[in-house]
Amino acid sequence: MKRNILITGGAGFIGSHVVRLFVNKYPDYHIVNLDKLTYAGNLANLKDIEDKPNYTFVKADIADLDEMRRVVREFKIDGIIHLAAESHVDRSIKDPFTFARTNVMGTLALLQAAKEYWETQPEKYGGKRFYHISTDEVYGALEMTHPTGIPAPFTTKASSGKNHEAYGEEFFVETTKYNPHSPYSASKASSDHFVRAYHDTYGMPTIVTNCSNNYGPYQFPEKLIPLFINNIRQRKPLPVYGKGENVRDWLFVEDHARAIDLIFHKGKISETYNIGGFNEWKNIDIIKVIIKTVDRLLGNPEGASLGLITYVTDRLGHDMRYAIDSRKLQRELGWEPSLQFEEGIERTVRWYLQNSEWMENITSGEYEKYYDEMYGK
Ligand code: NAD
Ligand code: TYD
């Protein structure tokens, strides 16, 4: 079947994996990647597919309503996968307005442009889809009732490689009440509400998914895992916020992209699906895995980089624990993570070490200035 699909934020981390998957898997689809190319957007992430005949890149700002109207009309878009966003919590603490503009106003502009165009079509919303990619952070923070860990109630391929632990009894489910704390999560929560409002008010065929922390190739090195891999390589300090005890639930980015593909095609309109791997890690434990893997792959003696760990002032309002219950997605659509966490980390570290040029290109100039301001180095 021929389709014209708009993917926003396709030059970013997760978006580039989604664009690559769709361009390669669906030669009959025309994939339009729309991205503003902020500091986080990088067309080098898509070098391998940029010449494919079913791929078009458009540089545009999602908050520009007229431009969104034009793009949706010009490319006769019938499906939207919306990933474009400001995505880094630390930046949102410094500059919340940019987050409100892109994440809230940008999502609203895209919804409105799609609504106006689709309502002029003879089949209206028939066969259309507006799929909004969101985060587990909108649910707030879970209690850390078991700081030393208890056996988790469920195991997936992602979590099968270690002594599988949970740090509390509670998990985020699709009906968990929204309770965002950071300006980032507040802006994502607001955009989720607008998406659902367009379904409930106008009948727009929407879907929302909320995913846990992603890791893998092409992630901008301001996020924990690529930042630490790069800093170990450069013998720079590894800034651990607070005591390093906060817990995140980690998923390999290609497993997220596979879930997005499945949900875009088979998910039920107006539904929400949580995406995660029951794979909780304390920051300090994941940092030790990264150090061990980087040192081994670089041929350093074991533990050589442990001394780079530097405890720094905690992030303001730092959420303690995120943990996703993704059993609805498993039950209804049969999705499961395909990769064990240790394998995913090994692949990720190898990729960053083998692609040091990619890293060096984006860590020069503007980013360096930001990093110096952020960490005072
Ligand atoms: P990213 O920061 O790596 O990429 C974001 C992309 O959006 C960049 O290419 C950037 O240029 C583009 N963009 C930013 N503002 C724009 C604007 N105004 N107009 C057009 N394009 C713009 O982010 P990511 O980690 O790939 O996250 C993608 C989406 O997934 C986001 O919506 C995020 O909230 C969500 N998400 C991320 C994670 C995670 O762990 N990274 C987890 C769950 C959900
Ligand atoms: P991050 O990758 O920014 O993702 P998020 O805040 O969306 O979960 O951070 C992951 C965890 O690592 C989070 O608890 C904050 C912590 N962290 C550090 O301790 N040091 C760092 O330099 C960074 C970037 C994050």
Side-chain angles (χ1 to χ4, degrees):
M1 194 176 108
K2 285 216 171 303
R3 295 200 70 164
N4 298 315
I5 303 197
L6 179 67
I7 300 181
T8 69
F13 166 48
I14 303 172
S16 64
H17 288 275
V18 177
V19 167
R20 176 175 298 100
L21 177 68
F22 272 68
V23 166
N24 286 329
K25 186 169 171 185
Y26 301 108
D28 286 346
Y29 291 4
H30 181 202
I31 305 300
V32 180
N33 169 16
L34 184 148
D35 199 296
K36 186 181 174 186
L37 299 182
T38 67
Y39 77 95
N42 184 358
L43 288 176
N45 297 357
L46 291 165
K47 270 255 157 295
D48 52 323
I49 57 107
E50 67 186 4
D51 295 327
K52 297 262 179 170
N54 63 337
Y55 172 72
T56 303
F57 174 70
V58 176
K59 184 173 187 304
D61 183 343
I62 53 164
D64 181 341
L65 176 57
D66 284 337
E67 188 64 357
M68 292 309 102
R69 286 178 172 133
R70 188 191 65 74
V71 170
V72 168
R73 217 180 317 115
E74 178 181 332
F75 293 101
K76 301 186 170 50
I77 295 301
D78 53 38
I80 297 178
I81 305 177
H82 174 39
L83 296 110
E86 289 290 338
S87 69
H88 189 39
V89 174
D90 294 332
R91 284 183 189 253
S92 81
I93 293 168
K94 291 209 150 185
D95 175 19
F97 285 84
T98 305
F99 281 68
R101 185 185 175 278
T102 287
N103 298 359
V104 185
M105 294 306 289
T107 300
L108 184 53
L110 201 58
L111 282 163
Q112 181 62 22
K115 170 183 181 290
E116 289 174 12
Y117 175 63
W118 289 343
E119 286 185 347
T120 64
Q121 301 299 294
E123 69 286 0
K124 295 208 182 293
Y125 289 127
K128 310 293 193 300
R129 203 150 267 220
F130 189 107
Y131 178 3
H132 176 64
I133 308 298
S134 192
T135 165
D136 59 358
E137 304 192 22
V138 297
Y139 297 123
L142 292 165
E143 294 284 324
M144 178 98 149
T145 47
H146 294 281
T148 52
I150 48 167
F154 305 101
T155 309
T156 68
K157 181 82 187 274
S159 54
S160 61
K162 65 165 184 144
N163 183 19
H164 184 56
E165 281 161 346
Y167 294 94
E169 287 89 358
E170 266 192 279
F171 293 82
F172 295 134
V173 290
E174 286 79 1
T175 50
T176 300
K177 194 164 161 274
Y178 273 32
N179 186 20
H181 300 300
S182 73
Y184 164 64
S185 53
S187 68
K188 290 296 291 186
S190 171
S191 65
D192 295 7
H193 290 319
F194 270 109
V195 173
R196 295 190 178 108
Y198 266 62
H199 170 269
D200 296 350
T201 309
Y202 308 112
M204 168 97 71
T206 59
I207 294 186
V208 177
T209 56
N210 299 82
C211 188
S212 61
N213 284 58
N214 285 214
Y215 71 97
Y218 299 111
Q219 186 167 32
F220 196 83
E222 63 187 353
K223 304 281 169 68
L224 181 75
I225 292 181
L227 176 70
F228 277 38
I229 296 171
N230 195 35
N231 282 11
I232 297 170
R233 207 172 54 89
Q234 300 192 333
R235 312 308 300 159
K236 283 188 181 166
L238 306 175
V240 180
Y241 298 164
K243 294 187 182 140
E245 302 223 307
N246 303 64
V247 170
R248 297 291 181 266
D249 177 354
W250 293 92
L251 184 69
F252 191 63
V253 62
E254 289 177 14
D255 277 328
H256 189 190
R258 278 179 41 250
I260 290 172
D261 175 19
L262 182 68
I263 293 162
F264 179 76
H265 290 97
K266 302 264 168 63
K268 261 173 60 189
I269 299 296
S270 88
E271 288 287 319
T272 299
Y273 299 91
N274 280 357
I275 310 174
F278 286 106
N279 183 39
E280 290 178 55
W281 286 78
K282 277 189 185 177
N283 289 343
I284 194 64
D285 292 336
I286 215 169
I287 288 163
K288 287 181 181 158
V289 173
I290 295 166
I291 291 175
K292 205 170 166 176
T293 312
V294 177
D295 276 340
R296 177 168 48 76
L297 292 176
L298 287 179
N300 296 335
E302 183 157 352
S305 302
L306 280 171
L308 295 175
I309 290 179
T310 309
Y311 289 93
V312 299
T313 311
D314 208 354
R315 174 186 277 174
L316 294 176
H318 196 173
D319 285 340
M320 196 62 213
R321 171 175 171 251
Y322 302 143
I324 277 272
D325 181 339
S326 56
R327 282 175 301 156
K328 173 178 171 182
L329 180 56
Q330 185 184 14
R331 198 172 54 242
E332 294 188 7
L333 300 181
W335 176 88
E336 278 191 70
S338 70
L339 203 68
Q340 194 189 61
F341 180 69
E342 283 79 356
E343 286 168 33
I345 283 288
E346 175 92 14
R347 267 175 66 177
T348 302
V349 172
R350 271 186 201 281
W351 187 87
Y352 285 100
L353 296 181
Q354 283 163 4
N355 290 274
S356 49
E357 206 181 313
W358 177 90
M359 184 69 95
E360 273 143 29
N361 283 341
I362 56 174
T363 52
S364 58
E366 278 307 299
Y367 171 73
E368 208 156 38
K369 266 204 310 221
Y370 155 80
Y371 188 87
D372 289 350
E373 269 170 32
M374 205 70 195
Y375 299 108
K377 287 173 208 99

